[in-house]
């Protein structure tokens, strides 16, 4: 059977370009590519092998271990192909500028609707942006599939792990694969224990296959900084949404639910900054 995708949307075009790159390297962890092209008019056509199987269960230790062990090996091999460091996208860098502007422009809104405690935590992140950026830029690059979740991963009948969605694929620091782990999303390992299991399984096979291995401490430090970057994007969106008077009560409820996770993340960042200053 064959899976066919066609159309003229930007996301599909990005996926076609990703498969064009991937198809030159044999891998059992992506579908076989039969046709992959973009016409002169901008229409895209993609014909892929149909994969029979199931999505992983990220409440299962076995599925977490198998999925992230494969992901670690796959991204390590791609890291050696793309090489280098310091390849943060303009979109990622723009989060920092927008975050700084947002805190200045909407200071009164944040203080009056959410409070000084949240504002101080956001200020602590922006005050340590140099540390966050420096840490992320030291991470080796890889070809990031863009959205590793249970919906975009299949375990076939032979137990092989297949990654199937490359709409948001890009070359960037490998730690960015874990930028949203800890945000409570149910489509990925979401509890602290499952996140740690996923990260340990990933790092073990990464270190066994990459030319630049990382210690567990380096990996954890990078993930905290990647999460801070992700938080900037979330709060840029949330505060702007409130300032525009769009669904203010709903947005405020989202922010309130995030207060404890944000506080814990800032505590971890603070400890890393202290350790770096005293090392």
């Amino acid at each position: 059977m064959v899976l066919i995708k066609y159309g003229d949307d930007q996301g599909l075009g990005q996926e076609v370009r990703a498969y064009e790159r991937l198809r030159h390297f044999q891998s059992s962890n992506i579908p076989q590519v039969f046709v992959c092209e973009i016409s002169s008019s901008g229409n895209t056509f993609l014909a892929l092998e149909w994969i029979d199987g199931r999505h992983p269960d990220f409440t299962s230790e076995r599925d977490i271990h198998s999925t992230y062990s494969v992901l670690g090996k796959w991204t390590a091999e791609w890291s050696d192909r793309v090489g280098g460091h310091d390849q943060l996208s303009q979109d990622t860098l723009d989060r920092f500028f927008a975050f700084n502007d947002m805190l200045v422009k909407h200071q009164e809104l944040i203080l009056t609707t959410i409070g000084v405690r949240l504002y101080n935590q956001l200020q602590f992140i922006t005050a340590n942006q140099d540390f966050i950026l420096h840490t992320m830029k030291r991470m080796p690059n890889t070809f990031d599939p863009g959205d590793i979740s249970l919906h975009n991963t299949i375990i076939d009948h032979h137990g092989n792990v297949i990654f199937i969605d490359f709409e948001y694929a890009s070359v960037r620091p490998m730690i960015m694969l874990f930028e949203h782990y800890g945000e409570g999303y149910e489509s990925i390992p979401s509890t602290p224990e499952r996140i740690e299991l996923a990260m340990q399984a990933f790092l073990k096979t990464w270190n066994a296959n990459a030319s630049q291995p990382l210690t567990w401490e380096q990996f954890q430090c990078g993930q905290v900084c990647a999460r801070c970057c992700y938080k900037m994007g979330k709060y840029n969106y949330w505060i702007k949404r409130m300032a525009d008077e769009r669904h203010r009560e709903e947005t405020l409820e989202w922010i309130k639910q995030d207060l404890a996770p944000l506080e814990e993340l800032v505590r971890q960042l603070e400890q890393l900054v202290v350790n770096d200053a005293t090392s």
Side-chain angles (χ1 to χ4, degrees), residues 93-110:
L93 294 173
D94 286 346
R95 291 185 204 175
F96 288 82
F97 302 123
F99 189 72
N100 293 339
D101 290 344
M102 179 271 291
L103 287 180
V104 173
K105 183 177 181 180
H106 300 300
Q107 178 181 2
E108 183 177 352
L109 172 66
I110 299 169

Side-chain angles (χ1 to χ4, degrees), residues 9 30 39 55 63 66-67 91 105-106 116 119 131 144 154 157 162 232 260 270 277:
D9 64 280
I30 65 168
S39 71
H55 296 301
D63 280 7
S66 61
T67 299
D91 176 67
K105 183 177 181 180
H106 300 300
V116 67
Y119 183 77
F131 174 82
D144 179 356
I154 295 176
H157 298 310
I162 315 293
M232 291 180 195
E270 185 174 13

